[in-house]
Amino acid sequence: MAQVRLVKLRKEFGKVVAVNDLSLEIKDGEFIAMLGPSGCGKTTTLLMIAGIYYPTRGEIYFDDVLMNEVPPKDRHVGLVFQSYALYPHMTVYQNIAFPLRLAKKSKREIDEKVHEVARLTQIEDLLDRMPSQLSGGQQQRVALCRALVKEPEVLLLDEPLSNLDARLRIETRAEIKRLQQELGITTILVTHDQVEAMTMAERIAVLHQGVLQQYGPPNELYDAPRNLFVASFIGDPPMNLVRVRYEIKEGRPCLVAGDFALPLSSEWVQRIEKSGEREFTLGIRPEDMNLLFNEQDHAFPGRVSLIEPLGGAVLVHIHAGSARFRVLTSREKQIFLGNQVWVQPKLEKLQLFLPDGRSIRELYEA
Amino acid sequence: MRRSAYPLKADTLKKIRRRERAIKVLLYSFLFITALPIIIGYSWLFLNSFSERLVYGLIPEQLTLKNWSFLWKPPSPYYPSLWRTFANTLILGLGMVIAVVGISTPAAYVLSRMKFPGRIEILAGTLILHSFPGITLLISLYYVLRTLGLLNTVVGVFLVKAGLMMPFAIWVMKGFFDGIPWDVERAALVDGATRFQTWYKVMLPQVKPGIGAISIFAFLSGWSEYIYVITFIHDKRSWTLSSYVNSIIGDYRFLDYGLLASTALFYMLPVLVFFLFAQRYLLQVSIGGMKGGG
């Protein structure tokens, strides 16, 4: 197993900067995810780690050994492609055996190892088939086997689940996590699906336009996004984001948007005063608000405009002045369309972002 | 009661069937008539080669094997050994296959996969060469071959032919290589293959249909070559079957139709047999080729 370190890694394609001075450390045996929308440079980074692309600048270290010039075959990485990229002219067995055959392993050893990984992923009875005879889920397992069979130091997964149907995705998600924990291989998962990243990875690196936005454990990203992009990208249903102004209304410091006004706690007033700004983007997660039927402190009035039952919970859309909020609430609450309600955000969960997108929480201690 | 939108009368179906049958009859008659010249041509050839004489140009009189005697003894001392000529033709066809496949396959791979200065120019250049009528090069090629000492040799002809066929072959093969996803190649590199191993073990097996296709084209183009053979080869020992048949038509003797028919059939036979066996494969090839390498 290996520790992976990227130092100011940069990749340019002509004039386009795909990866912009990315620095990242992945601990030995750690499972991290690189998360971002398509075109954010995550796959490019992965291919640089694999040795398919050479970086324009910056360094890649495996266990403190510089890898920049090392060809892919000597990097001991396993790579699972989004398209699976199985060799169509080989049987499943030959596909999995291919890396071992190239490594000139003995026939007996190859046979043993192929069967071992096939057993691990439960595809032993498919070994004689051709890739074209397999379902998407089966092909995905074969691709995983092929990556695992050579016992790689680093396992790279490029959107491995995106071609599977919803049900299979949830199963495979858990299975890959189990396998990774069992084998303890340093693993880098590339995905655009935040649920995948949240559920599988120990740490998530969020990328946007080639720039690292935030790198940390899933809960940290969820609870304390460092900027507006991370806040809006992570979370399902997404965080409510409303443009607000800091004003004193009826003698109380409030965040105001049209006729919507949220009275603030002294802690927030301190932070805001320190920042010296007046315009913000307010962020609050749907589950961090209470729905009330009468007026209370630090609550604002609104009207129910849409109700989306999610099974275990209900997502309620609320118009408050010109602002709109999604509030997650339990289905026991008797809520009907058009109801007048009060929304009480948990003030300690509030996020405020400066006009440039940075979170005020990080910058100014209360 | 609501009137149905489908008022099906008893005789409607009958009418439809009758019309379909009429269309079928028309279609088959049209196909038969258009195929008639070919059918007549081949039957003329076949009947002529096995008979003394044709009455009214089509009815054979007196079956004979006399016309086929060229197989064991040249029709006149003017002609070289048939089997030597046959071997030369075979060498021309196979030489084409080896030269075309051997050069176009790696060239197409490089043009499909690698970035290097001049790549676009080379691709455009091959197209220009392809659209160039080969016959205009006849005289200059004659000088080139003479300088190289390749005049009067089969090798000289198949090198020229292969060179002229290269643009076509490279474009076909490039299409096949283009059809293989990058990820498959990358997977091989990550799996521990060198660039050459990747080409040889992963890419080549996937373009087999393309190799099959250009092999067939190259062989047929060599086997049936006429102009270059007639122009560049005068030495009878290097003749191919097309020079042989040609000499029967345009020779000092009166035209022997029986001999012409039998040698022409002999010339055609290997190709016909080949088509019979390769037909199914050839069809697959054209489908695979259109998809760009499936």
Side-chain angles (χ1 to χ4, degrees):
Chain A
M1 311 306 119
Q3 170 225 68
V4 177
R5 192 152 54 90
L6 311 179
V7 183
K8 293 212 157 190
L9 198 63
R10 187 179 184 85
K11 180 69 185 177
E12 295 167 8
F13 294 106
K15 282 195 178 126
V16 182
V17 181
V19 179
N20 195 343
D21 296 340
L22 174 66
S23 295
L24 212 59
E25 258 193 69
I26 301 130
K27 290 183 217 137
D28 191 355
E30 195 178 19
F31 192 157
I32 75 136
M34 284 198 283
L35 175 66
S38 56
C40 72
K42 52 198 194 304
T43 296
T44 308
T45 307
L46 201 75
L47 291 179
M48 281 195 279
I49 296 172
I52 301 289
Y53 290 157
Y54 290 124
T56 311
R57 247 184 294 146
E59 291 115 48
I60 301 168
Y61 294 97
F62 288 2
D63 282 342
D64 293 320
V65 180
L66 185 65
M67 282 287 138
N68 281 27
E69 309 274 300
V70 178
K73 70 185 180 71
D74 299 319
R75 293 202 185 189
H76 304 290
V77 298
L79 177 50
V80 177
F81 291 88
Q82 180 173 9
S83 61
Y84 313 139
L86 300 178
Y87 310 125
H89 59 293
M90 299 184 194
T91 63
V92 168
Y93 183 96
Q94 288 167 330
N95 260 283
I96 301 172
F98 189 66
L100 301 177
R101 265 179 38 219
L102 289 170
K104 302 238 158 32
K105 294 275 199 293
S106 75
K107 231 182 179 134
R108 222 192 38 154
E109 196 185 348
I110 292 177
D111 202 54
E112 261 169 32
K113 283 204 172 142
V114 169
H115 278 101
E116 191 188 317
V117 286
R119 206 175 306 124
L120 211 57
T121 52
Q122 296 154 19
I123 54 162
E124 266 190 301
D125 45 339
L126 303 176
L127 288 175
D128 296 327
R129 302 242 194 120
M130 298 304 281
S132 56
Q133 297 169 305
L134 303 180
S135 70
Q138 291 168 332
Q139 289 187 26
Q140 202 268 350
R141 278 155 195 263
V142 176
L144 191 62
C145 277
R146 192 177 62 184
L148 289 175
V149 76
K150 56 184 169 178
E151 293 163 11
E153 298 291 321
V154 182
L155 181 63
L156 307 172
L157 308 170
D158 186 7
E159 306 260 9
L161 307 179
S162 62
N163 289 339
L164 303 180
D165 63 61
R167 186 60 176 262
L168 202 55
R169 200 176 305 168
I170 293 171
E171 284 171 23
T172 315
R173 202 163 77 190
E175 191 154 335
I176 291 178
K177 189 169 181 174
R178 175 183 65 82
L179 272 174
Q180 195 273 340
Q181 284 169 354
E182 222 167 275
L183 303 171
I185 304 175
T186 311
T187 303
I188 302 174
L189 168 78
V190 157
T191 178
H192 66 273
D193 181 346
Q194 44 110 9
V195 180
E196 245 172 72
M198 297 283 279
T199 49
M200 292 166 81
E202 292 164 61
R203 283 198 288 173
I204 300 174
V206 180
L207 279 98
H208 181 46
Q209 293 177 341
V211 180
L212 181 65
Q213 306 292 316
Q214 189 168 359
Y215 184 35
N219 286 340
E220 188 184 303
L221 267 64
Y222 193 81
D223 295 334
R226 270 178 52 193
N227 59 38
L228 204 54
F229 178 79
V230 178
S232 62
F233 199 74
I234 293 204
D236 182 34
M239 185 184 267
N240 295 293
L241 295 167
V242 181
R243 282 177 173 277
V244 290
R245 237 185 108 71
Y246 175 61
E247 279 174 19
I248 309 290
K249 222 174 183 180
E250 294 161 12
R252 300 180 68 182
C254 286
L255 290 172
V256 180
D259 1 324
F260 149 81
L262 174 66
L264 287 172
S265 62
S266 58
E267 194 186 343
W268 275 107
V269 173
Q270 273 181 37
R271 281 202 189 105
I272 290 171
E273 294 288 350
K274 274 185 195 166
S275 79
E277 291 279 350
R278 308 227 128 230
E279 307 278 342
F280 300 97
T281 302
L282 167 80
I284 181 86
R285 297 216 176 267
E287 66 270 30
D288 293 332
M289 291 185 271
N290 288 326
L291 268 194
L292 308 164
F293 291 103
N294 42 39
E295 193 171 359
Q296 284 193 25
D297 214 17
H298 299 299
F300 57 86
R303 196 165 287 281
V304 176
S305 66
L306 189 71
I307 299 171
E308 289 181 76
L310 300 177
V314 181
L315 191 65
V316 183
H317 292 237
I318 292 182
H319 276 200
S322 61
R324 286 158 191 224
F325 291 89
R326 282 177 295 259
V327 180
L328 203 62
T329 182
S330 78
R331 62 178 178 187
E332 277 73 42
K333 281 220 169 113
Q334 296 289 317
I335 294 168
F336 299 101
L337 218 57
N339 276 167
Q340 165 84 37
V341 289
W342 275 264
V343 181
Q344 185 185 47
K346 296 173 185 159
L347 285 181
E348 72 278 9
K349 299 276 189 169
L350 219 60
Q351 309 286 342
L352 271 190
F353 300 97
L354 297 173
D356 65 3
R358 286 177 303 163
S359 170
I360 192 173
R361 225 178 228 282
E362 286 236 336
L363 296 167
Y364 307 100
E365 280 304 309
Chain B
M1 213 176 84
R2 199 178 76 92
R3 233 182 64 207
S4 167
Y6 311 102
L8 207 59
K9 287 188 200 120
D11 57 338
T12 313
L13 268 177
K14 242 186 226 167
K15 252 188 213 160
I16 292 173
R17 272 198 212 116
R18 209 176 309 142
R19 192 174 343 137
E20 272 176 4
R21 201 175 308 141
I23 289 173
K24 229 180 213 171
V25 169
L26 272 172
L27 206 62
Y28 275 97
S29 345
F30 173 75
L31 289 176
F32 180 74
I33 290 165
T34 43
L36 213 53
I38 301 168
I39 296 169
I40 291 174
Y42 279 107
S43 13
W44 181 87
L45 213 57
F46 186 77
L47 296 173
N48 218 340
S49 77
F50 287 106
S51 58
E52 289 278 4
R53 197 163 53 248
L54 289 183
V55 185
Y56 304 123
L58 208 60
I59 302 155
E61 211 179 48
Q62 255 188 319
L63 292 183
T64 171
L65 284 176
K66 194 190 80 192
N67 291 328
W68 289 90
S69 66
F70 71 96
L71 284 180
W72 51 90
K73 145 176 134 355
S76 82
Y78 175 80
Y79 293 92
S81 146
L82 176 82
W83 296 104
R84 189 191 176 106
T85 313
F86 179 81
N88 282 339
T89 320
L90 209 59
I91 291 168
L92 181 57
L94 293 177
M96 281 286 289
V97 172
I98 291 165
V100 168
V101 171
I103 295 171
S104 73
T105 312
Y109 172 74
V110 170
L111 286 170
S112 162
R113 282 302 206 248
M114 293 182 183
K115 269 191 196 154
F116 54 90
R119 175 176 171 273
I120 302 293
E121 288 76 9
I122 289 176
L123 280 173
T126 56
L127 269 190
I128 291 170
L129 190 61
H130 187 50
S131 54
F132 213 85
I135 204 153
T136 54
L137 296 171
L138 222 50
I139 296 170
S140 48
L141 283 172
Y142 190 91
Y143 280 108
V144 172
L145 288 182
R146 198 177 60 179
T147 313
L148 295 174
L150 287 172
L151 217 53
N152 272 326
T153 62
V154 174
V155 178
V157 174
F158 81 62
L159 285 182
V160 167
K161 277 294 285 179
L164 288 172
M165 197 185 163
M166 216 52 85
F168 166 76
I170 287 174
W171 275 90
V172 169
M173 288 312 295
K174 182 179 169 291
F176 276 90
F177 279 119
D178 286 348
I180 303 175
W182 272 101
D183 279 356
V184 173
E185 199 172 352
R186 289 173 177 158
L189 289 172
V190 171
D191 278 348
T194 62
R195 196 85 204 228
F196 182 75
Q197 280 174 320
T198 304
W199 180 71
Y200 181 73
K201 291 192 174 178
V202 173
M203 303 298 275
L204 269 195
Q206 290 185 67
V207 296
K208 263 190 201 156
I211 294 176
I214 58 165
S215 303
I216 289 162
F217 284 124
F219 182 80
L220 291 182
S221 134
W223 181 266
S224 59
E225 179 51 31
Y226 174 70
I227 287 288
Y228 291 121
V229 170
I230 298 301
T231 316
F232 300 145
I233 296 178
H234 299 293
D235 188 346
K236 282 178 202 159
R237 281 171 305 170
S238 296
W239 267 17
T240 69
L241 283 172
S242 59
S243 350
Y244 199 92
V245 175
N246 180 57
S247 74
I248 291 169
I249 304 170
D251 202 28
Y252 60 99
R253 309 162 3 127
F254 70 98
L255 186 45
D256 181 345
Y257 279 111
L259 180 63
L260 176 65
S262 50
T263 45
L265 263 187
F266 177 76
Y267 188 19
M268 239 162 47
L269 218 56
V271 179
L272 282 181
V273 171
F274 177 75
F275 259 112
L276 231 52
F277 284 104
Q279 192 190 29
R280 242 171 44 156
Y281 182 63
L282 273 171
L283 285 177
Q284 276 179 347
V285 161
S286 68
I287 293 163
M290 281 203 269
K291 278 195 302 191

